[in-house]
Amino acid sequence: MGCSQQFIYNAGAKPFSIEMRQRITGSSYAVQRRYYNGLGQVVQAQTVGAVLEAGTYNVVSDTWYDAYGQAIRQSIPYTVTNGSGFQTFDP
């Protein structure tokens, strides 16, 4: 049966990311991806392969920080094409 959770670290990429996979059934997984800045703060959170009424997409939310490392703004969740990776959000 194997493990039901997997963590995949991508330290070589910019921004650094961690992908968390949790087995739902058989080979089906719920996938969450987090992208981090150089201070270890989450700058983007993604739910990968979310099944929505309009199709299958990644649901993304971005966070911005001030010079003191405090979160000052967070985007409303938005959708992007499934499998598109890190997104640069332009409000």
Side-chain angles (χ1 to χ4, degrees):
M1 184 165 164
C3 69
S4 62
Q5 291 184 333
Q6 296 176 340
F7 294 88
I8 301 166
Y9 298 90
N10 190 358
K14 294 209 188 293
F16 168 76
S17 67
I18 298 175
E19 183 171 292
M20 298 153 279
R21 296 173 173 240
Q22 183 171 3
R23 186 188 318 269
I24 298 171
T25 58
S27 62
S28 179
Y29 288 87
V31 179
Q32 297 285 320
R33 195 176 291 139
R34 301 288 183 263
Y35 292 93
Y36 298 86
N37 64 16
L39 298 175
Q41 299 164 311
V42 176
V43 293
Q44 188 169 95
Q46 295 186 2
T47 299
V48 179
V51 179
L52 307 174
E53 187 174 317
T56 303
Y57 296 93
N58 290 357
V59 179
V60 179
S61 178
D62 298 297
T63 305
W64 290 267
Y65 300 90
D66 65 13
Y68 300 102
Q70 299 171 341
I72 56 170
R73 190 165 127 200
Q74 188 170 22
S75 70
I76 59 171
Y78 60 96
T79 58
V80 297
T81 306
N82 191 24
S84 55
F86 181 75
Q87 300 296 306
T88 302
F89 182 70
D90 186 15

